[in-house]
Amino acid sequence: MSTENEGTEGNAVPAVPSVPPAPPVPATTPDPAAENVRDEPKDTTAAEATPPAAPPVTPTHADAPRHTPTAQGTPQDRAAAAHTPQPPMPPHPHQPPHSPYGAAPEPPAGAASWPPPPPAVPSYAGGGAAHTPGGGVGNGSGGGPVWGAPSPQPGHTPSPGTGKRGAGGLVAAVAVAALVAGGIGGALGFWAADRNDNGSSGSSTTVSASDSPRDLKRPAGTVAGVAAKALPSVVTIDAQGGDGEGGTGTGFVYDKEGHILTNNHVVASAAESGELSAMFSDGKKYAAEVVGRAQGYDVAVLKLKNPPAGLTPLPLGNSESVAVGDSTIAIGAPFGLSNTVTTGIISAKNRPVASGDGSSNKNSYMSALQTDASINPGNSGGPLLDATGAVIGINSAIQSTGGGLGQSQAGSIGLGFAIPINQAKNVAEQLIKTGKPVYPVIGATVSMEEKTGGAAISPEGAAGTPSVTPNGPAAKAGLKPGDVITKFNDTVIDSGPTLIGEIWTRKPGEKVTLTYERDGKTSTAEVTLGQREGDS
């Protein structure tokens, strides 16, 4: 895989229903079984329809025509009429004593309908009021007109099912509005009185998490706890070359002597002739110089010229023991934003990565830790931490879709790569000791093509030199040009960069097992790694 270095948010009070623009029409007598009726109108059911009129009775006296009133209105209307006391009247000899529907006896001829219909009672008047004389609400007697209700017209009976529910809903809406408004007003009044009673004490029903920020303590294992402990040991590096080139990167305190571990490509522009400085999270800046750098590993070591007292190195973990899915924390200065903390997980291990800074034809190779923690230009050289705060890698490269028209720097797409700390530690110790890197080698030149089914040993080396070094490790193990190496120990090798990355995770003198193919046959060979000093 070829990549780029990153470079340089209780119970709610119901809404108040709207008040009707005009006084409501008379409401019907409430249905005792439906006192808690919602404002929405309902379709008239069979139970609400007016019963059919009684069959007409032929009067026996022409001079005294009589009219038998039909039982109209809702069942509740009829029930209310039934409860109204009536004067006794003798039964007519040719008429049954009672109407088949329980209607009251007829009034004398020419008189208005008697008795008048019972007063309309709003649906919010309460259960049973319509059936109890004098039990109405509002005037104390139950016999007076309801608020807003017109006087009953003689001989007028509302048509069944026309507007009765809607009218009742309007009256109910007025009542609900009053109740809600009263409840809100009462609550506000109580709150205001409570505030006044307490004076300037500032009492409140809210609950404070703590009295002061000092009381909030974060456990050591949280991201905030890890970051708080690690940030004082992470520095932002400013590298300014003599030719005006430069950039910003990240590093971290490696030991108490003032050594800073970072990427080679962060300091390369200022390594020969330029200025280097390291700024800590407290804003203090110190001049620095290059102790040694390894272009192939993309590792460099700096030394603070006047290191402050009490430096705290970051603890180094074991990159071999990490597992896919482990939590990660990256600290750096993406796009110059110092002390930036991002989190993620280990997405993959042993990811073969060949990275370059674009300024030379020389690449760096690593068997990288892949993470989805956000890493951007400026994160280079910064620590990749595990959940305990130990360094498990050095953030070095990203895979990006950048590089398009008008885009000078690529950004994170969740594919970041870090040099395993076990490898970086070996390189750092060598650089501090000698100032030069030492690379383990097998003594063979391999093709950099990625579609060879492995790492193919080239027919010849650079500038016509032999591809297999005479008396070198590969030659001693019996390897020849054209052999295709398919495994390094138990790791599958699919290309030359993958093989180099795996070799460079080891030390010179280690013994490894190579699996290779020759003429269609698979063989193995044990190889003792040699060494090469310095960058060629």
Side-chain angles (χ1 to χ4, degrees), residues 419-487:
I419 303 168
I421 194 60
N422 290 13
Q423 177 183 352
K425 178 182 178 181
N426 293 337
V427 178
E429 292 294 337
Q430 192 68 38
L431 293 176
I432 293 173
K433 183 178 180 180
T434 67
K436 296 181 180 181
V438 175
Y439 297 93
V441 297
I442 62 171
T445 302
V446 296
S447 172
M448 292 293 104
E449 295 180 9
E450 297 184 0
K451 297 182 179 180
T452 58
I457 300 178
S458 302
E460 62 179 27
T465 60
S467 59
V468 178
T469 305
N471 297 320
K476 292 179 179 179
L479 294 173
K480 298 179 180 181
D483 291 346
V484 180
I485 300 172
T486 57
K487 278 189 178 182

Side-chain angles (χ1 to χ4, degrees), residues 39-61:
D39 291 342
E40 297 90 338
K42 294 182 181 179
D43 293 334
T44 303
T45 63
E48 295 171 322
T50 303
V57 179
T58 304
T60 56
H61 303 283

Side-chain angles (χ1 to χ4, degrees), residues 79-301:
H83 285 273
T84 305
Q86 304 294 334
M89 295 182 65
H92 194 278
H94 300 288
Q95 184 177 351
H98 298 286
S99 172
Y101 297 102
E106 296 178 348
S113 299
W114 182 263
V121 182
S123 60
Y124 57 85
H131 298 283
T132 306
V137 178
N139 59 8
S141 64
V146 181
W147 173 85
S151 300
Q153 299 296 325
H156 173 71
T157 303
S159 300
T162 56
K164 300 176 76 174
R165 284 290 178 180
L170 291 174
V171 176
V174 176
V176 172
L179 291 173
V180 172
I184 294 175
L188 292 175
F190 174 81
W191 177 81
D194 183 66
R195 295 282 292 179
N196 293 335
D197 290 342
N198 288 305
S200 59
S201 62
S203 63
S204 174
T205 58
T206 60
V207 179
S208 298
S210 61
D211 294 333
S212 67
R214 295 191 304 270
D215 297 334
L216 185 58
K217 296 181 180 179
R218 295 174 176 85
T222 63
V223 174
V226 170
K229 187 175 181 180
L231 276 168
S233 300
V234 179
V235 298
T236 300
I237 298 173
D238 183 27
Q240 298 298 326
D243 56 359
E245 292 186 2
T248 301
T250 309
F252 60 92
V253 177
Y254 180 73
D255 57 26
K256 294 183 179 181
E257 285 71 36
H259 290 108
I260 304 295
L261 194 56
T262 186
N263 281 141
N264 172 69
H265 73 264
V266 170
V267 302
S269 62
E272 302 298 334
S273 60
E275 295 182 357
L276 288 168
S277 65
M279 184 177 68
F280 285 80
S281 60
D282 60 3
K284 296 181 179 179
K285 185 180 291 188
Y286 300 86
E289 60 185 356
V290 176
V291 172
R293 58 196 185 97
Q295 184 272 328
Y297 291 121
D298 197 17
V299 173
V301 176

